[in-house]
Amino acid sequence: MPFLSLIVAAAGQGRRLGAGGNKVFLPLGDKPILAHTLAVAEASPLVDEVIVVTRPENIPLCHQVVTGGPYRKVRQIVAGGRERQDSIAAGLKAVAPGAEWVAVHDGARPFLSPALLERVIAAARDTGAAVAALPVKETIKKGNTDDMVTATLERRGLWAVQTPQVFRRDWLAAAYREAEINGWQATDDAALVERAGYPVKLVPGEEVNIKITTPGDLVLARAIVAGDS
């Protein structure tokens, strides 16, 4: 089976959460948020290695989480950059030379299910690149700098993108090279891959696959864990 590396993006600062530090180390149930993601990767036969990208000052904390698992698939913990894009670029450089596929997942999405991971990987292997996403349900309005509505968008065909995102390793590497040369900036990896001219498949995600970003998200996440226990 082709070798797949999973890069876990865990270099956030937790500003919107008001956590006073990196949110992936906050407790969620009986373990840190980050540990939930690592546990899914550890159990998946489709993941061959894990690269964790975190803030330089958080590397010792990451080592504690990994050794507390233990999560044997974590091959490297690398220092991230100023922006998420810089962090994933650092993670990509640490991927094993023989890896044919690279998956990227947010460390603050602790409810990744094995089934969703499998579906996105399967779709990527068919098309070259795939992302988990949910069709937009709410009406979407575009506003200006004064917060005045300038347009109401047709929601049909709009998707809210999640992670995991899975790519052919050569496509993702080429997209990052072009981004560096041309100064492209994006908030997710698929946007760079798209801009480089590669097709990306949308795979229906899961409502529970939330990213913990705000205090309300953390309350919801802890309610989900409490309901499962």
Side-chain angles (χ1 to χ4, degrees):
M1 187 175 293
F3 192 102
L4 182 141
S5 292
L6 173 64
I7 298 173
V8 176
Q13 299 182 53
R15 288 197 187 109
R16 282 177 286 178
L17 187 62
N22 195 330
K23 59 194 171 188
V24 300
F25 301 109
L26 292 175
L28 182 60
D30 61 352
K31 55 192 174 187
I33 291 170
L34 176 61
H36 289 265
T37 292
L38 297 182
V40 174
E42 188 71 24
S44 174
L46 302 176
V47 175
D48 295 288
E49 73 168 3
V50 177
I51 308 296
V52 180
V53 186
T54 193
R55 298 178 63 77
E57 64 269 26
N58 290 153
I59 288 176
L61 273 175
C62 261
H63 278 292
Q64 288 181 26
V65 173
V66 170
T67 56
Y71 301 110
R72 297 180 179 86
K73 289 183 181 178
V74 177
R75 301 290 169 81
Q76 290 194 57
I77 299 170
V78 300
R82 180 176 179 180
E83 303 293 339
R84 183 185 187 280
Q85 186 170 317
D86 302 321
S87 295
I88 301 305
L92 190 55
K93 291 176 182 175
V95 164
E100 298 176 52
W101 296 90
V102 176
V104 180
H105 188 64
D106 298 320
R109 288 189 192 269
F111 301 117
L112 171 62
S113 73
L116 178 57
L117 178 61
E118 183 176 345
R119 288 199 303 273
V120 179
I121 292 173
R125 286 179 175 163
D126 283 342
T127 63
V131 301
L134 292 173
V136 170
K137 296 184 293 185
E138 294 83 1
T139 297
I140 302 297
K141 294 186 183 292
K142 183 178 180 181
N144 61 18
T145 54
D146 295 321
D147 295 332
M148 299 300 293
V149 173
T150 60
T152 298
L153 306 181
E154 170 58 60
R155 70 185 174 198
R156 184 167 44 204
L158 295 180
W159 295 66
V161 176
Q162 304 178 328
T163 63
Q165 302 187 359
V166 182
F167 311 94
R168 283 178 44 162
R169 190 247 188 94
D170 57 340
W171 286 14
L172 187 59
Y176 266 89
R177 282 196 299 271
E178 291 200 34
E180 185 175 5
I181 292 168
N182 297 305
W184 298 345
Q185 292 293 320
T187 55
D188 82 329
D189 304 285
L192 296 179
V193 171
E194 296 155 29
R195 194 163 183 181
Y198 300 110
V200 177
K201 177 73 173 179
L202 292 163
V203 178
E206 296 174 350
E207 296 279 358
V208 75
N209 185 31
I210 62 171
K211 184 178 181 182
I212 299 175
T213 303
T214 67
D217 297 330
L218 185 58
V219 170
L220 176 58
R222 287 175 171 163
I224 292 170
V225 169
D228 287 342
S229 61

Coordinates of all heavy atoms in Angstrom, one line a residue, residues 27-89:
P27 N -7.1 20.2 28.2 CA -7.7 18.9 28.4 C -9.1 18.8 27.8 O -9.8 19.7 27.7 CB -7.8 18.8 30.0 CG -7.9 20.3 30.4 CD -7.0 21.0 29.5
L28 N -9.3 17.6 27.2 CA -10.6 17.2 26.7 C -10.9 15.8 27.1 O -10.3 14.9 26.5 CB -10.6 17.4 25.1 CG -11.9 17.1 24.4 CD1 -13.0 18.0 24.8 CD2 -11.7 17.2 22.9
G29 N -11.7 15.7 28.1 CA -11.9 14.3 28.6 C -10.7 14.0 29.4 O -10.2 14.8 30.2
D30 N -10.1 12.8 29.2 CA -9.0 12.3 30.0 C -7.7 12.6 29.3 O -6.6 12.0 29.8 CB -9.2 10.8 30.3 CG -9.2 10.0 29.0 OD1 -9.3 10.6 27.9 OD2 -9.2 8.7 29.1
K31 N -7.6 13.4 28.2 CA -6.3 13.6 27.6 C -6.4 15.0 26.8 O -7.5 15.5 26.6 CB -6.0 12.5 26.6 CG -7.1 12.2 25.6 CD -6.7 10.8 24.9 CE -7.9 10.4 23.9 NZ -7.7 9.1 23.4
P32 N -5.2 15.5 26.4 CA -5.2 16.8 25.7 C -5.9 16.7 24.4 O -6.0 15.6 23.8 CB -3.7 17.1 25.5 CG -3.0 16.2 26.5 CD -3.9 15.0 26.7
I33 N -6.4 17.8 23.8 CA -7.0 17.8 22.5 C -6.2 17.2 21.5 O -6.7 16.3 20.7 CB -7.3 19.3 22.1 CG1 -8.4 19.9 23.0 CG2 -7.7 19.4 20.7 CD1 -8.6 21.4 22.9
L34 N -4.9 17.5 21.4 CA -4.0 16.9 20.4 C -4.0 15.4 20.5 O -3.9 14.7 19.4 CB -2.6 17.5 20.6 CG -1.5 16.9 19.7 CD1 -1.8 17.2 18.3 CD2 -0.1 17.5 20.1
A35 N -4.0 14.8 21.7 CA -3.9 13.4 21.8 C -5.1 12.7 21.1 O -4.9 11.5 20.6 CB -3.9 13.0 23.3
H36 N -6.2 13.3 21.0 CA -7.4 12.6 20.3 C -7.0 12.4 18.9 O -7.3 11.3 18.3 CB -8.6 13.5 20.5 CG -9.2 13.5 21.9 ND1 -10.2 12.7 22.3 CD2 -8.9 14.3 23.0 CE1 -10.5 12.9 23.6 NE2 -9.7 13.9 24.0
T37 N -6.5 13.4 18.2 CA -6.1 13.3 16.8 C -5.0 12.2 16.6 O -5.1 11.4 15.7 CB -5.6 14.6 16.3 OG1 -6.7 15.5 16.2 CG2 -5.0 14.5 14.9
L38 N -4.0 12.3 17.5 CA -2.9 11.3 17.4 C -3.4 9.9 17.6 O -2.9 9.0 16.9 CB -1.8 11.6 18.4 CG -1.1 13.0 18.3 CD1 0.0 13.1 19.3 CD2 -0.5 13.2 16.9
A39 N -4.4 9.7 18.4 CA -4.9 8.4 18.7 C -5.6 7.8 17.4 O -5.5 6.6 17.1 CB -5.9 8.4 19.8
V40 N -6.3 8.6 16.7 CA -6.9 8.2 15.4 C -5.9 7.8 14.4 O -6.0 6.7 13.8 CB -7.9 9.3 14.8 CG1 -8.4 8.8 13.5 CG2 -9.0 9.5 15.8
A41 N -4.8 8.6 14.3 CA -3.8 8.3 13.3 C -3.0 7.0 13.7 O -2.7 6.2 12.9 CB -2.8 9.5 13.3
E42 N -2.8 6.9 15.0 CA -2.1 5.7 15.5 C -2.9 4.4 15.2 O -2.3 3.4 14.8 CB -1.9 5.8 17.0 CG -1.0 4.7 17.6 CD 0.5 4.9 17.3 OE1 0.9 6.0 16.9 OE2 1.2 3.9 17.3
A43 N -4.2 4.5 15.3 CA -5.0 3.3 15.0 C -5.3 3.0 13.6 O -5.7 1.9 13.2 CB -6.3 3.4 15.8
S44 N -5.0 4.0 12.7 CA -5.4 3.8 11.3 C -4.3 3.0 10.5 O -3.2 3.4 10.5 CB -5.6 5.1 10.6 OG -5.8 4.9 9.2
P45 N -4.7 1.9 9.9 CA -3.7 1.2 9.0 C -3.3 1.9 7.8 O -2.4 1.6 7.1 CB -4.5 -0.1 8.7 CG -5.9 0.3 8.7 CD -6.0 1.3 9.8
L46 N -4.0 3.1 7.5 CA -3.7 3.8 6.3 C -2.7 4.9 6.5 O -2.1 5.5 5.6 CB -5.0 4.5 5.8 CG -6.2 3.6 5.5 CD1 -7.4 4.4 5.1 CD2 -5.8 2.6 4.4
V47 N -2.4 5.2 7.8 CA -1.4 6.2 8.1 C -0.1 5.5 8.5 O 0.0 4.7 9.4 CB -1.9 7.1 9.3 CG1 -0.8 8.1 9.7 CG2 -3.1 7.8 8.9
D48 N 1.0 5.9 7.8 CA 2.3 5.2 8.1 C 3.2 6.1 9.0 O 4.0 5.5 9.7 CB 3.0 5.0 6.7 CG 2.3 4.1 5.8 OD1 2.3 2.9 6.1 OD2 1.7 4.5 4.8
E49 N 3.1 7.4 9.0 CA 3.9 8.2 9.9 C 3.1 9.5 10.2 O 2.2 9.9 9.4 CB 5.2 8.5 9.3 CG 5.2 9.5 8.2 CD 6.6 10.1 7.8 OE1 7.6 9.6 8.4 OE2 6.7 10.9 6.9
V50 N 3.4 10.1 11.3 CA 2.8 11.4 11.7 C 3.9 12.4 11.9 O 4.9 12.1 12.6 CB 2.0 11.2 13.0 CG1 1.4 12.5 13.4 CG2 0.8 10.2 12.7
I51 N 3.7 13.6 11.4 CA 4.6 14.7 11.6 C 3.8 15.7 12.4 O 2.8 16.2 11.8 CB 5.2 15.3 10.3 CG1 5.8 14.2 9.4 CG2 6.2 16.4 10.6 CD1 7.0 13.6 10.0
V52 N 4.2 16.1 13.6 CA 3.5 17.2 14.3 C 4.2 18.5 14.2 O 5.4 18.5 14.4 CB 3.3 16.8 15.8 CG1 2.6 17.9 16.6 CG2 2.6 15.5 16.0
V53 N 3.5 19.5 13.8 CA 4.1 20.8 13.6 C 3.5 21.7 14.7 O 2.3 21.9 14.9 CB 3.8 21.5 12.3 CG1 4.6 22.8 12.1 CG2 4.2 20.5 11.1
T54 N 4.4 22.3 15.6 CA 3.9 23.1 16.7 C 4.8 24.3 16.8 O 5.8 24.5 16.1 CB 3.9 22.2 18.0 OG1 3.1 22.9 19.0 CG2 5.3 21.9 18.5
R55 N 4.4 25.2 17.8 CA 5.3 26.3 18.0 C 6.6 25.9 18.7 O 6.6 24.9 19.5 CB 4.5 27.3 19.0 CG 3.2 27.8 18.3 CD 2.4 28.7 19.3 NE 3.2 29.9 19.6 CZ 3.3 31.0 18.8 NH1 2.7 30.9 17.6 NH2 4.0 32.0 19.2
P56 N 7.7 26.6 18.4 CA 9.0 26.1 19.0 C 8.9 26.0 20.5 O 9.5 25.0 21.0 CB 9.9 27.3 18.6 CG 9.3 27.9 17.3 CD 7.8 27.7 17.5
E57 N 8.3 26.9 21.2 CA 8.2 26.8 22.6 C 7.3 25.6 23.1 O 7.4 25.3 24.3 CB 7.8 28.1 23.3 CG 6.4 28.5 22.9 CD 6.2 29.4 21.7 OE1 7.1 29.3 20.8 OE2 5.3 30.2 21.6
N58 N 6.5 25.1 22.2 CA 5.6 24.0 22.6 C 6.2 22.6 22.3 O 5.5 21.6 22.6 CB 4.3 24.1 22.0 CG 3.5 25.3 22.5 OD1 2.6 25.9 21.8 ND2 3.7 25.7 23.7
I59 N 7.4 22.5 21.7 CA 7.9 21.2 21.4 C 8.1 20.3 22.6 O 7.7 19.1 22.5 CB 9.3 21.4 20.6 CG1 9.0 21.9 19.2 CG2 10.0 20.1 20.6 CD1 10.2 22.2 18.4
P60 N 8.5 20.8 23.8 CA 8.6 19.9 24.9 C 7.2 19.4 25.3 O 7.1 18.2 25.7 CB 9.2 20.8 26.0 CG 10.0 21.8 25.3 CD 9.2 22.1 24.0
L61 N 6.2 20.2 25.3 CA 4.8 19.8 25.6 C 4.4 18.7 24.6 O 3.7 17.7 25.0 CB 3.8 20.9 25.6 CG 3.7 21.8 26.8 CD1 2.8 23.0 26.6 CD2 3.1 20.9 28.0
C62 N 4.7 18.9 23.3 CA 4.3 17.9 22.3 C 5.0 16.5 22.7 O 4.4 15.5 22.5 CB 4.8 18.3 21.0 SG 3.4 19.0 20.0
H63 N 6.3 16.6 23.0 CA 7.0 15.4 23.4 C 6.3 14.7 24.6 O 6.2 13.4 24.6 CB 8.4 15.6 23.7 CG 9.3 15.8 22.6 ND1 9.6 14.7 21.8 CD2 10.0 16.8 22.0 CE1 10.4 15.1 20.8 NE2 10.7 16.4 20.9
Q64 N 5.8 15.4 25.5 CA 5.1 14.8 26.7 C 3.8 14.1 26.2 O 3.5 13.0 26.7 CB 4.7 15.9 27.7 CG 5.9 16.4 28.5 CD 5.5 17.5 29.5 OE1 4.4 17.5 29.9 NE2 6.4 18.4 29.8
V65 N 3.1 14.8 25.3 CA 1.8 14.1 24.8 C 2.1 12.9 24.0 O 1.5 11.8 24.2 CB 1.1 15.1 23.9 CG1 -0.1 14.4 23.2 CG2 0.6 16.3 24.7
V66 N 3.2 12.9 23.2 CA 3.5 11.8 22.4 C 4.0 10.6 23.2 O 3.5 9.4 23.0 CB 4.6 12.1 21.3 CG1 5.1 10.9 20.6 CG2 4.0 13.1 20.3
T67 N 4.9 10.9 24.2 CA 5.4 9.8 25.0 C 4.3 9.3 26.0 O 4.4 8.1 26.5 CB 6.6 10.2 25.8 OG1 6.3 11.4 26.5 CG2 7.8 10.5 24.8
G68 N 3.3 10.1 26.3 CA 2.3 9.7 27.2 C 1.3 8.8 26.6 O 0.5 8.2 27.3
G69 N 1.3 8.7 25.2 CA 0.4 7.8 24.5 C 0.5 6.3 24.7 O -0.3 5.7 25.3
P70 N 1.6 5.7 24.3 CA 2.6 6.3 23.4 C 2.0 6.3 21.9 O 1.3 5.4 21.6 CB 3.8 5.5 23.5 CG 3.2 4.1 23.8 CD 2.0 4.3 24.6
Y71 N 2.5 7.3 21.1 CA 2.1 7.3 19.7 C 3.3 7.1 18.9 O 4.0 8.0 18.5 CB 1.4 8.7 19.5 CG 0.2 8.9 20.4 CD1 0.3 9.9 21.4 CD2 -0.9 8.2 20.2 CE1 -0.8 10.1 22.2 CE2 -2.0 8.4 21.1 CZ -2.0 9.3 22.1 OH -3.0 9.5 22.9
R72 N 3.5 5.8 18.5 CA 4.7 5.4 17.9 C 4.8 5.8 16.5 O 5.9 5.8 15.9 CB 4.8 3.8 18.0 CG 4.9 3.3 19.4 CD 5.0 1.8 19.4 NE 5.1 1.3 20.8 CZ 4.1 1.0 21.6 NH1 2.8 1.2 21.1 NH2 4.2 0.6 22.8
K73 N 3.7 6.2 15.8 CA 3.8 6.7 14.4 C 4.3 8.1 14.3 O 4.6 8.6 13.2 CB 2.4 6.6 13.8 CG 2.0 5.2 13.5 CD 0.7 5.2 12.7 CE 0.2 3.7 12.5 NZ -1.1 3.7 11.8
V74 N 4.4 8.8 15.4 CA 5.0 10.2 15.4 C 6.5 10.1 15.2 O 7.2 9.7 16.1 CB 4.6 11.0 16.7 CG1 5.3 12.4 16.6 CG2 3.1 11.1 16.8
R75 N 6.9 10.4 14.0 CA 8.3 10.3 13.6 C 9.1 11.6 14.0 O 10.3 11.5 14.3 CB 8.5 10.0 12.1 CG 7.8 8.7 11.7 CD 8.5 7.5 12.3 NE 7.7 6.3 12.1 CZ 7.6 5.6 11.0 NH1 8.3 6.0 10.0 NH2 6.8 4.5 10.9
Q76 N 8.4 12.7 13.8 CA 9.1 14.0 14.1 C 8.1 15.0 14.7 O 7.0 15.0 14.3 CB 9.7 14.6 12.8 CG 10.9 13.8 12.3 CD 11.7 14.6 11.2 OE1 12.2 15.8 11.5 NE2 11.8 14.1 10.1
I77 N 8.7 15.9 15.5 CA 7.9 17.1 16.0 C 8.8 18.3 15.5 O 10.0 18.4 15.9 CB 7.8 17.1 17.5 CG1 7.0 15.9 18.0 CG2 7.1 18.4 18.0 CD1 7.0 15.7 19.5
V78 N 8.2 19.1 14.6 CA 9.0 20.2 14.0 C 8.4 21.5 14.4 O 7.2 21.6 14.7 CB 9.1 20.0 12.5 CG1 9.7 18.7 12.1 CG2 7.7 20.1 11.9
A79 N 9.3 22.5 14.4 CA 8.8 23.9 14.7 C 8.1 24.5 13.5 O 8.6 24.4 12.4 CB 10.1 24.7 15.1
G80 N 7.0 25.1 13.8 CA 6.2 25.8 12.8 C 6.7 27.2 12.6 O 7.6 27.7 13.2
G81 N 6.0 27.9 11.6 CA 6.3 29.2 11.3 C 5.3 30.2 11.8 O 4.4 29.9 12.6
R82 N 5.4 31.4 11.2 CA 4.5 32.5 11.7 C 3.0 32.2 11.3 O 2.1 32.5 12.1 CB 5.0 33.8 11.1 CG 4.1 35.0 11.5 CD 4.7 36.3 10.9 NE 3.9 37.4 11.3 CZ 4.1 38.7 10.9 NH1 5.2 38.9 10.2 NH2 3.3 39.7 11.3
E83 N 2.8 31.8 10.0 CA 1.5 31.5 9.5 C 1.3 30.0 9.4 O 2.3 29.2 9.3 CB 1.2 32.2 8.2 CG 1.4 33.7 8.2 CD 0.4 34.4 9.1 OE1 -0.7 33.8 9.3 OE2 0.7 35.6 9.5
R84 N 0.0 29.6 9.3 CA -0.3 28.1 9.1 C 0.5 27.6 7.9 O 1.0 26.5 7.9 CB -1.8 27.9 9.0 CG -2.2 26.4 8.9 CD -3.6 26.3 8.7 NE -4.1 24.9 8.7 CZ -3.9 24.0 7.7 NH1 -3.3 24.4 6.6 NH2 -4.3 22.8 7.9
Q85 N 0.4 28.4 6.8 CA 1.1 27.9 5.6 C 2.6 27.7 5.8 O 3.1 26.7 5.3 CB 0.9 29.0 4.5 CG 1.4 28.6 3.1 CD 0.9 29.6 2.1 OE1 -0.2 30.1 2.1 NE2 1.8 30.0 1.2
D86 N 3.2 28.5 6.6 CA 4.6 28.3 6.9 C 4.8 27.0 7.7 O 5.8 26.3 7.5 CB 5.2 29.5 7.7 CG 5.0 30.8 6.9 OD1 5.2 30.9 5.7 OD2 4.7 31.8 7.6
S87 N 3.9 26.7 8.6 CA 4.0 25.6 9.4 C 3.9 24.3 8.6 O 4.6 23.3 8.8 CB 3.0 25.6 10.5 OG 3.2 26.7 11.4
I88 N 2.9 24.3 7.7 CA 2.7 23.1 6.8 C 3.9 22.9 5.9 O 4.3 21.8 5.7 CB 1.4 23.1 6.1 CG1 0.2 23.3 7.0 CG2 1.2 21.9 5.2 CD1 0.1 22.2 8.1
A89 N 4.5 24.0 5.4 CA 5.7 23.9 4.6 C 6.8 23.2 5.4 O 7.5 22.4 4.8 CB 6.1 25.3 4.1

